[in-house]
Amino acid sequence: MICLAVLASDTRDSVHGDDVEQQPLQTNLYRERLVQSLILGEYTNSGPYVLETMIHYVYIEFAIRADADKGIWFLLALEVNLAVRMGYHRDPSHFPGISPLKSEMRRRLWATVVQGDILISSQMGMPRMISDWQCDTAEPRNLNDADLDQDTSELPPPRPETEITTALGAIARRRILTALGTISDLAANVKSCKYAEVMRADAILREAAASIPPPFKMKSTTASITDSPQVIMSRLFISHLFYKGQITLHRRFILVESASAGEGLSFYSRQACLDACLGMLRIQHILDEETLPGGLLHTMRWRVSSIIKHQFLTATMILCSMLHRGQTLHREQEIMETLRNTKEIWIRGSSTSQEAKKAAETVSFVLARAGETRDYGNDLDAERARAAITLQDMPINTNGSDAGFTFDGQAVLQTTMDLHECKSGDPPRPQ
């Protein structure tokens, strides 16, 4: 907890340079002590508070990295297996000896484990580790911490979902994540699925979005001026999860080459994926503005993690591919305006993130090829070469799961070929 407090502190705004220099030293010290505690406590024996400690450790390692890191996924495996070994995947109602307080805490912890599994696994381009048929832990109740204590003999009835409690955010996220789990399984399946299955998963996602409690439904920044930063951030994160689900589910249909008998069936998917990409990058723009000093979310900027940025990256690459191939669904100006805005954000982040640097270079090239005035990089040939290398470095993944910049394997291959042709001076392929 102390390490998390250090990460959330406002050292970047401090007038004392020593505070900025001390933060990484303090973080490393507390990380070392945390690992020592896990080892000395023999965490593999699943003792008290071991899972809570492991969850904190995984989050800390995740929070200090600007880009995706496969090492976090291996740590996640330890967390998931510890939780299952300790029985968190089964609802506490199966174990009469567990008190109401501990039962509710176990449900909240399991919701946290499931969230980490789906988000980090998809970021690594891997299937999730927890399947729905393996667990039956119920949703936490909408209760404040003050509603529970050691002497509670029976859980009180849940508060209305119009009332914000310490558990309501976890409840809202869990509902969307349940739908994301279904989509993740579909995307990771090595066998082709029927379009009816895609639409069934889409309906599950939309039903989950409709069940989100009113305080966490998306609304404009202006309408959120009286809300706390925590509520606004949770609202944006839940909307981000919804867009992530739509992109993961529908992006395989985004680059349909020509009119055919099947194109009509996939037209909804193409529109849904494009709308989700544009919506995702609107969230990026909001976070970029509101996490600045004086913004509504300045105190929450440490929560803009690589998982959130990864989806911004995926949305950016899909729009780049659509624009590059001239398949913009008659919304070219909207796509170009969105890419102009996101390019500036990626450029500002490129000093600390390799993913941001690659995104900035790729967007700059695509806009330049579309006739934009370039202001990033000094040489067009060098810019084209960097963009070609960027696309070559993207892991090729045809099953729809996330991995690096992945969106559609065939599209990446074709785009890379086109970029090489542009670099060598050959005319681009007709669109």
Side-chain angles (χ1 to χ4, degrees):
M1 292 300 294
I2 298 175
C3 190
L4 287 174
V6 171
L7 291 174
S9 61
D10 292 334
T11 55
R12 282 179 287 185
D13 299 332
S14 176
V15 295
H16 303 291
D18 291 345
D19 292 341
V20 179
E21 295 175 0
Q22 286 295 317
Q23 187 188 48
L25 297 176
Q26 291 176 331
T27 301
N28 289 335
L29 173 64
Y30 291 131
R31 285 168 62 209
E32 182 182 357
R33 296 293 183 265
L34 197 159
V35 173
Q36 290 173 346
S37 298
L38 285 169
I39 295 173
L40 291 173
E42 298 181 338
Y43 68 95
T44 55
N45 291 334
S46 309
Y49 306 112
V50 162
L51 181 59
E52 292 90 333
T53 306
M54 181 60 73
I55 290 173
H56 278 90
Y57 178 55
V58 171
Y59 189 85
I60 289 166
E61 292 293 336
F62 169 76
I64 63 176
R65 288 166 170 77
D67 295 332
D69 188 329
K70 65 179 180 295
I72 307 301
W73 184 69
F74 291 114
L75 284 176
L76 174 71
L78 284 175
E79 176 187 317
V80 169
N81 281 285
L82 271 174
V84 174
R85 174 69 179 81
M86 298 172 73
Y88 280 82
H89 63 301
R90 302 304 309 275
D91 191 75
S93 60
H94 297 297
F95 311 106
I98 300 179
S99 69
L101 172 62
K102 288 186 177 180
S103 296
E104 194 62 16
M105 293 302 104
R106 288 175 70 92
R107 293 187 182 104
R108 294 184 186 183
L109 272 175
W110 180 249
T112 303
V113 172
V114 170
Q115 174 178 313
D117 175 33
I118 292 176
L119 296 182
I120 296 177
S121 293
S122 67
Q123 185 185 23
M124 293 298 109
M126 301 299 292
R128 60 174 176 158
M129 303 178 193
I130 302 168
S131 299
D132 292 336
W133 60 268
Q134 294 176 318
C135 54
D136 63 357
T137 304
E139 180 179 278
R141 293 195 184 189
N142 188 34
L143 297 171
N144 279 312
D145 293 345
D147 297 331
L148 302 165
D149 59 43
Q150 296 284 358
D151 298 324
T152 301
S153 58
E154 184 178 354
L155 284 176
R159 294 173 180 266
E161 293 190 350
T162 54
E163 182 178 345
I164 298 176
T165 67
T166 50
L168 190 62
I171 293 170
R173 290 191 297 272
R174 183 185 181 278
R175 291 176 183 174
I176 287 287
L177 287 165
T178 299
L180 279 181
T182 300
I183 293 171
S184 176
D185 292 342
L186 196 64
N189 196 331
V190 296
K191 297 180 180 179
S192 299
C193 65
K194 296 181 179 179
Y195 194 68
E197 295 181 67
V198 173
M199 294 308 297
R200 182 183 66 83
D202 182 81
I204 292 172
L205 179 63
R206 291 186 176 277
E207 183 179 347
S211 71
I212 296 300
F216 293 112
K217 290 185 180 292
M218 190 63 178
K219 59 182 180 179
S220 67
T221 307
T222 305
S224 305
I225 195 71
T226 59
D227 295 328
S228 70
Q230 291 81 4
V231 170
I232 299 173
M233 192 70 191
S234 295
R235 190 179 293 143
L236 290 171
F237 184 68
I238 290 168
S239 296
H240 151 273
L241 291 179
F242 174 75
Y243 290 139
K244 169 184 169 62
Q246 287 203 309
I247 291 171
T248 303
L249 184 62
H250 295 295
R251 65 188 177 189
R252 68 185 71 191
F253 305 103
I254 198 67
L255 296 176
V256 175
E257 287 286 349
S258 60
S260 64
E263 186 173 352
L265 292 176
S266 63
F267 181 75
Y268 167 80
S269 290
R270 299 169 69 195
Q271 290 285 1
C273 185
L274 176 55
D275 289 339
C277 289
L278 295 171
M280 185 73 79
L281 294 182
R282 280 195 295 272
I283 292 178
Q284 183 193 34
H285 182 68
I286 292 171
L287 290 174
D288 182 64
E289 287 191 335
E290 297 301 335
T291 53
L292 293 173
L296 293 174
L297 300 173
H298 181 60
T299 57
M300 305 297 293
R301 65 188 185 279
W302 62 279
R303 289 184 58 183
V304 183
S305 64
S306 64
I307 278 183
I308 296 179
K309 293 178 182 177
H310 177 79
Q311 291 307 312
F312 298 155
L313 186 62
T314 302
T316 301
M317 294 298 104
I318 290 175
L319 294 186
C320 282
S321 186
M322 293 180 71
L323 184 61
H324 177 76
R325 296 165 66 91
Q327 297 177 328
T328 58
L329 304 182
H330 307 293
R331 297 167 71 177
E332 181 175 345
Q333 291 304 315
E334 186 179 2
I335 291 173
M336 290 182 68
E337 182 61 30
T338 300
L339 287 176
R340 290 188 201 107
N341 292 333
T342 194
K343 182 184 75 169
E344 300 303 321
I345 298 173
W346 290 123
I347 289 174
R348 288 196 295 273
S350 60
S351 61
T352 57
S353 167
Q354 286 298 312
E355 291 181 356
K357 182 179 179 181
K358 290 182 179 181
E361 292 170 351
T362 304
V363 175
S364 296
F365 167 76
V366 171
L367 289 176
R369 188 175 184 272
E372 287 289 304
T373 301
R374 291 175 292 109
D375 56 4
Y376 184 81
N378 299 319
D379 182 80
L380 180 58
D381 289 335
E383 195 166 335
R384 285 173 172 169
R386 286 196 300 268
I389 292 171
T390 296
L391 289 171
Q392 282 182 306
D393 287 344
M394 295 179 190
I396 305 303
N397 189 344
T398 59
N399 65 10
S401 62
D402 290 342
F405 298 110
T406 316
F407 41 95
D408 179 89
Q410 293 302 319
V412 173
L413 287 171
Q414 185 62 58
T415 303
T416 304
M417 291 168 59
D418 290 347
L419 289 170
H420 277 302
E421 289 176 355
C422 291
K423 180 182 176 185
S424 62
D426 295 335
R429 294 175 183 268
Q431 300 297 327

